[in-house]
Every structure is written in structure tokens, then in C-alpha cells.
Amino acid sequence: MALWAAVVVFGCVGGALAQGSKYPLTVSFVTPSGELLSEHTFDLAGIDALPQSKIVTRTPWTHGVQAFTGPTLAAIAELAKRPCCKEVRAYSLGDWSATIPATDWLRQGIILASRLNGATMRVRDKGPYWIMYPIDGRRDLDTQMYQARMIWQVKSLEFVVE
């Protein structure tokens, strides 16, 4: 009986911890050869503490105009505290990845959205984080190439430092 109680208590605590720990975001900075220079792990509060931007746009995956909020990739890249990056590799929970050149975040103002219309995004709704481009503001961004870079369910960002 004591063993059964321990299993039940451990199972409940483990489940509560898993639900209570939102999906962390790992941000790393690596050399072109892959050598790790630094790594940071952020929870949603840490992402929210970064300067926030908003993109109001339509996407091929949503209905109508939507408001996406989160830090710019430029703000996240500045965490390197050194002459920065030539690209970022974004990885999703579903093992998708996209390589985004620095020119995209410097010229387009793309963001790592943590909010859709003011609400946090659930994993089943393309959250917790989604790379977002201002498609409506720049129709030339509404192409397959840029859409392939707009991955959702982002779990990590790996900036390649020059």
C-alpha cells in the first residue's frame, strides 16, 4: 500500500511539474564550426522581459488579420554581446528547422511571437513561439521562401556568430 501511495504521489507531482513548467526556449550562440560560445534558457517571463514588438498581419495559416507580439530576433541576437550573427537556425518541437539570414531580422523586423491577439499560444495552436514576418506590410515577403522560415512551435534558436 505504501508503495502504491508513493507511486500515486510521485505521478501527481511529476504531472504538476510538467504542466507548470512552460516550454523553455534555448538561445545559443555558436561559431560557424558549431563551437558553443554561450547558451541561455528562457521561460515565458524571460521572453516577456525582452523589448516587445507587434506585427499585425495575415498569414496562410490563420484567418484574417492577426496581432503577433514578441521580441524581435534582432533584440535576441544582441544577447551575444559581441559583433553578431550571420544567421539563426530555428528548431521546432516537431523537429522542423529553418535557417534565417541576419538580413531578414535587420531589414524586416521579424519577431519571435509569444502572443497571438494578446493571448499566449498553446502548442496545439502553433505556440509556444512562432517566427513571424510582417507579410501585410511587405507583400514581397508573401512567398514560399519566407513562409518556410516562419516556423512555429519554436523550442530553440541557434545564432551563428561571425
Side-chain angles (χ1 to χ4, degrees), residues 95-115:
D95 292 327
W96 288 95
S97 66
T99 300
I100 302 167
T103 53
D104 279 17
W105 71 74
L106 295 172
R107 293 181 187 159
Q108 318 309 342
I110 61 178
I111 66 171
L112 178 71
S114 62
R115 302 276 191 297

Side-chain angles (χ1 to χ4, degrees), residues 52-96:
Q52 303 289 298
S53 293
K54 183 183 281 189
I55 292 176
V56 179
T57 192
R58 290 175 175 77
T59 77
W61 309 281
T62 57
H63 299 288
V65 176
Q66 307 292 321
F68 297 89
T69 308
T72 63
L73 286 187
I76 298 171
E78 289 175 6
L79 297 172
K81 300 195 186 311
R82 61 183 70 196
C84 199
C85 314
K86 65 178 190 171
E87 65 188 22
V88 63
R89 298 176 193 132
Y91 298 94
S92 78
L93 295 171
D95 292 327
W96 288 95

Side-chain angles (χ1 to χ4, degrees), residues 100-145:
I100 302 167
T103 53
D104 279 17
W105 71 74
L106 295 172
R107 293 181 187 159
Q108 318 309 342
I110 61 178
I111 66 171
L112 178 71
S114 62
R115 302 276 191 297
L116 173 59
N117 298 322
T120 57
M121 293 181 284
R122 300 178 303 173
V123 169
R124 64 192 270 178
D125 297 325
K126 299 184 176 40
Y129 308 107
W130 189 353
I131 303 287
M132 188 53 55
Y133 283 72
I135 295 174
D136 280 359
R138 296 272 317 270
R139 296 310 290 174
D140 59 315
L141 297 177
D142 194 7
T143 67
Q144 188 175 17
M145 179 181 74

